[in-house]
Amino acid sequence: MDQPKLERLLRLMKLLTANTTYNIDQLAERLQMSRRTVYRYIDTFRDAGFVIKKSGDCIRLDKESPHFRDISQLVHFTEEEAVILKSAIENIDDTNLLKQNLKRKLYSVYDNKTLADTVVRGKNAPNIRRLIEAIEERRQATLRGYQSAHGGEVRDRRVEPFAFTTNYVQVWCYDLESHSNKLFKTSRIGSVELSDTGWEHETGHDEGFIDAFRMHGGTRRRIRLELGMLAYNLLCEEYPLAERDLKPLSRGRWTLDTEVAGMAGVGRFVVGLLDDIRIVDSPELTEYIREYLAANASHI
């Protein structure tokens, strides 16, 4: 089997065993392949002995499949191993881009409970463990004393947690009050109370779109930037996911052509490097920066 096909199969396997379920169209979009190819790869898993389960139009690999446990053992770290690996990675110089790449790869294969005990520290760890339990058991939960960023409001939120972002910084939940998917920062949760009620809106669970600048939203807007050496290096160090959308333009210059959920994240990055970044055919970003500079002129 050629390497690209193997990589696509492994990416599909990760999606089919994730906490979130996907239908064929969603899998095809995330993997940037045709529906026909997705079906063909699923048949490959079935021929290899995996059990394919369907819930509505969503598909997943049954974790009780004959080979599933053997494969999971290959990528599972014990708690002691996780602590040693995390400690070694944290000792790498923060300016080294490999540090973020290593952490991202390591966290992608961590066992959830091990990750909560070794990566998340302090008062936040018990909340993460309860959220993990809610996700694994498909139960509703109440986020007690959640501190909203909008207006500083503190109140309880009844949700269906279903997925985490990198390093457990935020949790994707279906908010039962607004009937929509939202991201909640785990550091703003006072406590987590599990409910005996199971998920009632699983088909509506959707992780949504998070851009390279860690902003999320329901719409996507394309931006194009031309970056100098300084901007390029800082972008790669601060926002590693942006690397996939970078292309060399000429010696010492790069083009960033990507989609963003809003202008705030990329706008803050550009404002700090205006002398090393040129905005290319992105009028909405240009207008955002113009308004930002006007509003903050007294602070400059």
Side-chain angles (χ1 to χ4, degrees), residues 165-181:
T165 61
T166 304
N167 299 354
Y168 288 61
V169 173
Q170 299 176 97
V171 58
W172 278 106
C173 298
Y174 184 88
D175 184 49
L176 297 174
E177 180 181 320
S178 65
H179 298 288
S180 62
N181 296 293

Side-chain angles (χ1 to χ4, degrees), residues 38 42 57 83 92 107 129 151 162 177 204 223 246 263 281:
V38 173
I42 289 174
D57 61 347
V83 171
I92 299 175
Y107 295 165
R129 286 195 291 271
F162 59 88
E177 180 181 320
I223 58 108
L246 282 167
M263 297 299 136
D281 190 28

Side-chain angles (χ1 to χ4, degrees), residues 117-275:
D117 290 335
T118 59
V119 176
V120 182
R121 295 293 184 183
K123 69 179 183 65
N124 213 22
N127 289 343
I128 298 297
R129 286 195 291 271
R130 291 190 190 99
L131 288 168
I132 290 172
E133 186 177 349
I135 292 172
E136 291 182 343
E137 297 180 6
R138 289 174 161 75
R139 293 162 64 184
Q140 294 182 0
T142 300
L143 310 182
R144 296 291 186 192
Y146 183 77
Q147 303 172 34
S148 174
H150 303 290
E153 183 183 36
V154 179
R155 64 186 181 90
D156 297 346
R157 309 295 288 268
R158 181 85 168 183
V159 300
E160 293 182 0
F162 59 88
F164 289 97
T165 61
T166 304
N167 299 354
Y168 288 61
V169 173
Q170 299 176 97
V171 58
W172 278 106
C173 298
Y174 184 88
D175 184 49
L176 297 174
E177 180 181 320
S178 65
H179 298 288
S180 62
N181 296 293
K182 294 183 177 180
L183 271 176
F184 293 90
K185 283 198 172 182
T186 54
S187 61
R188 294 178 180 166
I189 302 172
S191 62
V192 177
E193 182 180 305
L194 298 186
S195 169
D196 292 331
T197 305
W199 287 351
E200 297 175 343
H201 307 275
E202 183 174 356
T203 57
H205 294 180
D206 185 358
E207 291 183 36
F209 170 58
I210 301 178
D211 64 29
F213 297 90
R214 306 187 187 101
M215 304 300 289
H216 76 281
T219 60
R220 304 188 184 201
R221 302 171 177 87
R222 181 160 296 281
I223 58 108
R224 285 200 298 147
L225 306 176
E226 183 179 321
L227 288 68
M229 181 70 76
L230 175 61
Y232 168 79
N233 287 331
L234 288 175
L235 181 68
C236 292
E237 291 170 5
E238 295 180 19
Y239 304 103
L241 290 180
E243 286 184 77
R244 61 193 177 193
D245 296 320
L246 282 167
K247 293 182 179 179
L249 187 62
S250 60
R251 186 170 183 177
R253 306 294 293 179
W254 285 264
T255 295
L256 174 67
D257 188 341
T258 190
E259 291 182 323
V260 296
M263 297 299 136
V266 63
R268 294 192 201 104
F269 178 77
V270 172
V271 165
L273 295 158
L274 283 175
D275 58 345

